[in-house]
Amino acid sequence: MKEEHIIKQLSTLKSIEPDAGFARSARTTILYRSEPMPARFFGLTQSLSTTLSIGLVVMLFVFIALGGVATMLRTPLSPTFQGVDEQSLASEAGSINQTIDARLSEVAYISGERENKLVMATTPSDGDSNADKEIDLLLTQAKGY
Amino acid sequence: MEGEKNLVEKARKGNSEAFGILYDYYLPKIYRFVLFKVSHKQQAEDITQHAFMKAWENMGGYKPQGHPFGSWLYRIARNSVIDYYRKNEFSVDIEAVSPEALGIDNSLIAKLEVKLEWEKILNAIGGLTEVEQDVLIMRFVEDLPHGEVARAVDKSENAVKVIQHRALKKLKVTLSKK
């Protein structure tokens, strides 16, 4: 079938018309039951909806920007360790440890002497029992330290 | 349409008489366009009425911009058909499309030959895509120029020409088989 014949057949469909009753009733319904929006109000509603859309976009950008600012502000308030050298921290801690060890060893020495003295003091001697009791009491007190 | 610009301008300002004249002129075209797409007389009437009602309600916002009023109307009609399909799920039995189903006046289909030809072509149109149907109906049933059709279907003129060529080719194949 040739295209020209198809086009001719399509053009014959032009003779189809709507029902006259429908045409009349639809006209009445459309023209007398619905009202057009006046041009000035149409423009107003269009500009209002445009303004609202722009406003929403602006708010979105502000929200995103605030989120970025909040992230930037948060960092100074919280402690950061960016300027701290790990190695110096470790050496400092090490020297503190050494100091503590030295003190502990001093204390150990002193307490060791004291114990020796205590041991010597507790060696029974022939002599005065009252003095012994007193010494025992002192020794007990010293051990308590 | 002669004097269409003046009528459109009056209708924009709310003149119902002016819109009535535009309605009388465009009703058969829009009705046919919708009828061939939905293949059902009652639905075509409902959709056509809805399309004109939308056009009248939105006349205040219509801006010619150098394009014919008809393109705008066809666009509204096209969208009304799409809306109707969305809201009412129904399928058209392509094989059942007939001049009687479309409510076509019996006097027009008195000759059996005419009846059979119309049945064939209407069924073939039903097998095309939506935009192919739109282009063929607007171009060859309503004799619209490529520019107006392009405006109505929201495509370029070149695209419309390609769609037209493709659609005619499809019809040729379909009608040759029957």
Side-chain angles (χ1 to χ4, degrees):
Chain A
M1 187 180 277
K2 286 185 180 175
E3 274 187 19
E4 290 82 16
H5 183 67
I6 293 171
I7 292 168
K8 199 178 167 187
Q9 277 190 308
L10 285 169
S11 67
T12 62
L13 295 170
K14 215 185 309 237
S15 52
I16 296 166
E17 297 273 328
D19 185 49
F22 156 71
R24 260 195 314 272
S25 67
R27 197 183 202 276
T28 310
T29 306
I30 291 160
L31 296 179
Y32 301 112
R33 288 186 198 173
S34 61
E35 280 183 34
M37 194 185 297
R40 59 178 183 277
F41 287 126
F42 198 93
L44 182 66
T45 52
Q46 289 290 87
S47 64
L48 272 174
S49 68
T50 310
T51 308
L52 190 66
S53 308
I54 293 168
L56 281 169
V57 169
V58 167
M59 274 177 64
L60 182 68
F61 275 120
V62 166
F63 185 74
I64 293 167
L66 278 174
V69 166
T71 310
M72 281 182 349
L73 284 176
R74 197 173 53 230
T75 43
L77 296 175
S78 61
T80 55
F81 299 95
Q82 286 172 349
V84 177
D85 185 18
E86 277 184 30
Q87 279 184 350
S88 64
L89 260 181
S91 65
E92 205 175 325
S95 65
I96 291 169
N97 271 342
Q98 282 172 5
T99 314
I100 291 168
D101 286 341
R103 293 277 170 89
L104 281 172
S105 59
E106 257 182 67
V107 167
Y109 176 74
I110 292 165
S111 64
E113 267 197 327
R114 212 180 257 172
E115 263 198 58
N116 288 337
K117 283 181 182 172
L118 285 174
V119 165
M120 281 168 67
T122 53
T123 309
S125 60
D126 308 318
D128 199 354
S129 62
N130 283 335
D132 285 341
K133 281 180 187 173
E134 216 176 319
I135 289 165
D136 283 340
L137 182 64
L138 282 170
L139 281 170
T140 314
Q141 281 176 359
K143 277 183 187 172
Y145 293 120
Chain B
M1 180 184 174
E2 229 177 279
E4 185 176 284
K5 273 186 183 174
N6 286 335
L7 287 170
V8 168
E9 200 45 44
K10 284 181 183 176
R12 279 189 67 218
K13 290 170 184 171
N15 188 322
S16 59
E17 209 178 299
F19 188 80
I21 298 169
L22 291 167
Y23 167 88
D24 293 334
Y25 179 76
Y26 281 104
L27 175 68
K29 298 172 185 290
I30 301 295
Y31 173 77
R32 275 191 294 267
F33 172 76
V34 173
L35 182 68
F36 298 145
K37 287 183 71 61
V38 302
S39 306
H40 193 281
K41 180 178 180 265
Q42 189 58 54
Q43 285 154 13
E45 287 177 354
D46 292 344
I47 295 168
T48 304
Q49 182 172 318
H50 176 75
F52 274 102
M53 202 169 299
K54 273 192 88 173
W56 177 227
E57 285 168 1
N58 291 292
M59 262 325 285
Y62 170 68
K63 288 171 189 170
Q65 292 175 333
H67 300 288
F69 179 68
S71 303
W72 185 64
L73 268 183
Y74 275 109
R75 201 186 257 219
I76 293 174
R78 229 176 144 243
N79 291 338
S80 299
V81 170
I82 293 166
D83 287 346
Y84 195 85
Y85 278 137
R86 277 200 198 124
K87 287 175 191 170
N88 304 284
E89 286 182 23
F90 67 93
S91 60
V92 174
D93 182 2
I94 290 170
E95 294 301 321
V97 173
S98 65
E100 287 91 356
L102 298 182
I104 294 170
D105 191 351
N106 280 326
S107 61
L108 290 170
I109 51 170
K111 282 188 189 173
L112 184 65
E113 202 180 294
V114 170
K115 182 179 183 292
L116 290 172
E117 271 198 12
W118 274 6
E119 227 172 86
K120 268 170 67 176
I121 198 128
L122 289 170
N123 276 317
I125 289 171
L128 300 173
T129 63
E130 293 296 324
V131 73
E132 285 169 351
Q133 290 176 8
D134 297 344
V135 168
L136 283 194
I137 294 166
M138 286 186 215
R139 283 284 297 132
F140 302 117
V141 180
E142 307 305 332
D143 298 326
L144 295 185
H146 286 110
E148 262 195 70
V149 177
R151 180 86 182 134
V153 301
D154 198 24
K155 293 200 184 291
S156 67
E157 267 192 56
N158 283 336
V160 164
K161 287 174 185 172
V162 169
I163 293 165
Q164 175 188 303
H165 172 74
R166 204 169 55 212
L168 282 172
K169 216 174 164 183
K170 274 189 189 177
L171 277 190
K172 203 173 157 184
V173 168
T174 309
L175 292 169
S176 302
K177 285 178 186 173
K178 293 187 179 180

